[in-house]
Structures are given as structure tokens and as C-alpha cells.
Amino acid sequence: NAGVMQNPRHLVRRRGQEARLRCSPMKGHSHVYWYRQLPEEGLKFMVYLQKENIIDESGMPKERFSAEFPKEGPSILRIQQVVRGDSAAYFCASSLGRTGTPYEQYFGPGTRLTVT
Amino acid sequence: AQTVTQSQPEMSVQEAETVTLSCTYDTSESDYYLFWYKQPPSRQMILVIRQEAYKQQNATENRFSVNFQKAAKSFSLKISDSQLGDAAMYFCAYRSRGGSEKLVFGKGMKLTVNP
């Protein structure tokens, strides 16, 4: 059973470009979470999605950031007009949601975004 | 809002010895989950152990055990018979049982294992 897949693993963007990060959850998981890890920091929650729905986006910056989890295909975290402060590791996690016990989140390997 | 504090940024232990990592948290909720995650140099987040707040018994997973003190809001991780592969960043995390499913992480602690 494949784990959570993220791609790309490394992404370099110039200031002002767009970054698209992809996450494929574990088989059977319909809940996806995105977290950001700045250097020397713990992970910070960004957004929680189910298929075609955003459940909690309380951690998302108000501008330039968006996320989706379509009916088909991976979840996408999109960062428009990237700035140097967006450089970080972005982790995706998936879970069974409330039907699972105790709905543990399984993490992908992360995407390291570098903005030059 | 819930917060998680790991006050020791770094620790070291000799191989085969025991080490305890501390974590405190703040919440007004009575039912929740607590987790310890390990992040080795590969940066993959690996779940080490979890504790359900309504359970009085401390969780154990092989060489890993926790000391959960609900009244003190303390959740420490004990690693017995430390191995070189235990060297990593360790993060304590909190999750509400109801409501949002987001994990709230501490800043982490770097564990070094000396041969």
C-alpha cells in the first residue's frame, strides 16, 4: 500500500512565479492536510480538505495561497507570486477522517520550496 | 487556541541509555489526542506514539513510552535502550478529539545519540 506521495520533492522558483505542489493521499484516504515547516520550526497547519471541500483553512495566508482537492486527482497547494518568505518545506498528510480510529495522519516526504 | 511547548531544543544520549523528552501543552478541552513524531534527516515525519487523553494508562510502543500527566498538561517521551537510528528531530503534537482535525506541533527537539 503506497504511502502519501508528494511531488515535486524539490522546487525552485524565482520571486513572482507560481508554485504548484501536489499530494496524492494514501489509498482509501479522503482527508488531506497541508502543513508548512519553516527552517528551525515545527510544522504549522495550513488547510484541511476533503474531496471537493475545504473544511478548515484557518492556517492559510489570506493572499496568494490556495488549495484544492478535486474529485479526481491529487490535492494541489498553489502559491502565486512567490516571495522569499515562502521558502519552506511543505508537508501533506492524509487520513481516513472520523471513520478511522483514531484517524491518524500519515505524512508524505514533503516538498522543499526554494524561492530565489 | 491550543499551544504545545518543547522547552529543550537539543539533547544528547549515549547509545543503550535512556532519555526523556519533555512536552507541555495548553488547552481548555478535556478530550484530545497527543502524539510524538520523529523527523530524521530524510525529513519524513514518522509517528512514534500516541496517547488518548481519556485513557489513564500511559501508551507504550516497544522502546518508546510516554508519561502523560493530564492535570499538569505534560506529555513526556521516554526512549529506552537508545539506538543510533533514534537520532532525529522529535515533535510533540496535539489534536482535538472533536472539531478541527489539525495537528498543533511544538517547535521540536534535536536528539543526538552518541556511540
Side-chain angles (χ1 to χ4, degrees):
Chain A
N1 189 9
V4 179
M5 309 287 286
Q6 288 188 252
N7 67 81
R9 294 293 306 277
H10 301 275
L11 182 62
V12 179
R13 285 287 178 265
R14 290 200 177 99
R15 280 178 295 171
Q17 291 185 319
E18 178 180 288
R20 283 190 179 227
L21 288 61
R22 293 174 183 76
C23 169
S24 296
M26 284 181 69
K27 186 176 181 180
H29 287 190
S30 59
H31 296 238
V32 165
Y33 316 80
W34 286 94
Y35 295 85
R36 176 166 64 176
Q37 184 177 31
L38 295 169
E40 310 300 323
E41 295 282 328
L43 279 69
K44 292 284 188 348
F45 169 78
M46 298 181 76
V47 63
Y48 162 35
L49 310 104
Q50 294 179 26
K51 289 279 187 181
E52 299 183 283
N53 282 306
I54 296 175
I55 307 302
D56 181 356
E57 56 182 345
S58 59
M60 285 281 269
K62 292 288 186 281
E63 299 176 349
R64 302 188 297 109
F65 285 73
S66 62
E68 63 176 5
F69 188 16
K71 188 177 179 181
E72 301 289 340
S75 175
I76 306 285
L77 179 68
R78 182 183 179 203
I79 311 172
Q80 295 177 291
Q81 299 175 331
V82 295
V83 301
R84 287 224 171 105
D86 296 332
S87 295
Y90 292 83
F91 288 90
C92 169
S94 74
S95 80
L96 288 168
R98 295 181 190 277
T99 58
T101 305
Y103 5 106
E104 290 172 6
Q105 295 181 22
Y106 295 86
F107 282 81
T111 293
R112 183 180 289 277
L113 172 66
T114 301
V115 179
T116 62
Chain B
Q2 295 81 24
T3 58
V4 177
T5 302
Q6 294 178 254
S7 56
Q8 302 156 301
E10 290 192 48
M11 291 187 75
S12 62
V13 62
Q14 291 296 125
E15 198 175 1
E17 299 282 302
T18 295
V19 64
T20 299
L21 287 57
S22 63
C23 172
T24 59
Y25 59 94
D26 190 29
T27 183
S28 59
E29 299 173 334
S30 60
D31 203 6
Y32 46 85
Y33 298 105
L34 295 165
F35 304 86
W36 279 98
Y37 279 88
K38 170 185 176 181
Q39 187 179 43
S42 67
R43 302 190 70 84
Q44 175 77 51
M45 293 291 287
I46 301 165
L47 178 64
V48 174
I49 198 166
R50 69 174 180 272
Q51 175 77 43
E52 290 141 290
Y54 64 88
K55 290 186 177 179
Q56 292 186 339
Q57 187 173 8
N58 288 323
T60 62
E61 287 287 342
N62 301 312
R63 297 183 296 108
F64 299 88
S65 62
V66 299
N67 183 5
F68 172 49
Q69 301 288 328
K70 191 172 184 180
K73 295 180 183 174
S74 170
F75 182 60
S76 60
L77 174 69
K78 185 171 82 171
I79 306 175
S80 303
D81 185 27
S82 297
Q83 300 176 359
L84 295 176
D86 295 333
M89 288 291 295
Y90 285 82
F91 294 94
C92 180
Y94 172 102
R95 225 208 77 190
S96 298
R97 188 175 174 86
S100 175
E101 299 192 7
K102 67 184 180 186
L103 288 165
V104 178
F105 284 89
K107 286 195 171 184
M109 192 227 66
K110 181 179 180 180
L111 179 66
T112 301
V113 180
N114 300 312

